[in-house]
Amino acid sequence: MTDAATQNDAANPSLNILAQYVKDFSFENPGAPRSLQARDKAPAINISVNVNANPLAESDFDVVLSLNAEAKDGDKVLFNAELSYGGVFRITGFPQEHMLPVLFIECPRLLFPFARQIISDATRNGGFPPLMIDPIDFAQMFAQRMAEEQVKAKVQPN
């Protein structure tokens, strides 16, 4: 790469989505059709979120957003939805210190609306009201993850 091309990339950072895909998806409705009966109260819904990123090439990265939503009525599982939704991103021109925030905040922020729609459609198609997952603060999630990594580094001997 020429010096001019390197300077141009640095002056014009870009983030492009090359592909999006469902990596893994599961919807379970173990108590159907009884689980579809009217209820006096809303079920307890637990949602967990995880983000992983792996390099594919010098500027290409695979980012996977994992969502798990489980609804329970007491100790009975009404439904369980698990989704791993990925995207291949081409990231150029960002300083090295910005790469982790781009991968773990911006990329999942772009993937989230699509993953949310898949979960919503699956719960509706499973006979339940559509589960509309609230927006996720990926910046807070990233900050928490970095803090946990720093604690682990301090606790583990060199």
Side-chain angles (χ1 to χ4, degrees):
M1 208 182 236
T2 66
D3 286 341
T6 303
Q7 287 176 351
N8 189 34
D9 281 350
N12 298 315
S14 70
L15 170 62
N16 299 0
I17 302 174
L18 303 180
Q20 292 180 201
Y21 61 94
V22 172
K23 185 169 188 162
D24 189 24
F25 179 63
S26 170
F27 181 83
E28 299 171 20
N29 187 354
R34 293 183 205 272
S35 61
L36 305 176
Q37 296 172 341
R39 313 196 143 30
D40 296 336
K41 60 182 175 123
I45 298 177
N46 184 31
I47 298 172
S48 62
V49 181
N50 193 25
V51 178
N52 285 308
N54 294 301
L56 297 174
E58 184 179 335
S59 61
D60 295 353
F61 298 85
D62 179 41
V63 178
V64 177
L65 172 62
S66 298
L67 298 174
N68 187 358
E70 182 181 62
K72 285 186 167 185
D73 185 11
D75 62 345
K76 291 184 179 174
V77 174
L78 299 176
F79 69 78
N80 188 26
E82 297 177 8
L83 173 65
S84 292
Y85 190 78
V88 176
F89 294 85
R90 178 159 294 150
I91 303 170
T92 57
F94 285 91
Q96 191 59 38
E97 64 270 14
H98 293 170
M99 287 303 291
L100 284 178
V102 169
L103 288 168
F104 288 91
I105 298 171
E106 295 307 320
C107 293
R109 189 178 295 170
L110 293 169
L111 295 173
F112 176 73
F114 301 96
R116 179 183 192 227
Q117 187 64 50
I118 292 168
I119 295 290
S120 173
D121 289 348
T123 54
R124 182 182 40 112
N125 291 340
F128 298 95
L131 176 61
M132 299 302 287
I133 299 173
D134 288 337
I136 296 168
D137 186 346
F138 290 104
Q140 181 206 7
M141 216 173 108
F142 176 72
Q144 183 178 350
R145 187 172 184 170
M146 291 293 99
E148 289 170 2
E149 293 294 326
Q150 287 176 347
V151 168
K152 281 183 194 176
K154 288 178 183 176
V155 172
Q156 293 177 347
N158 291 339

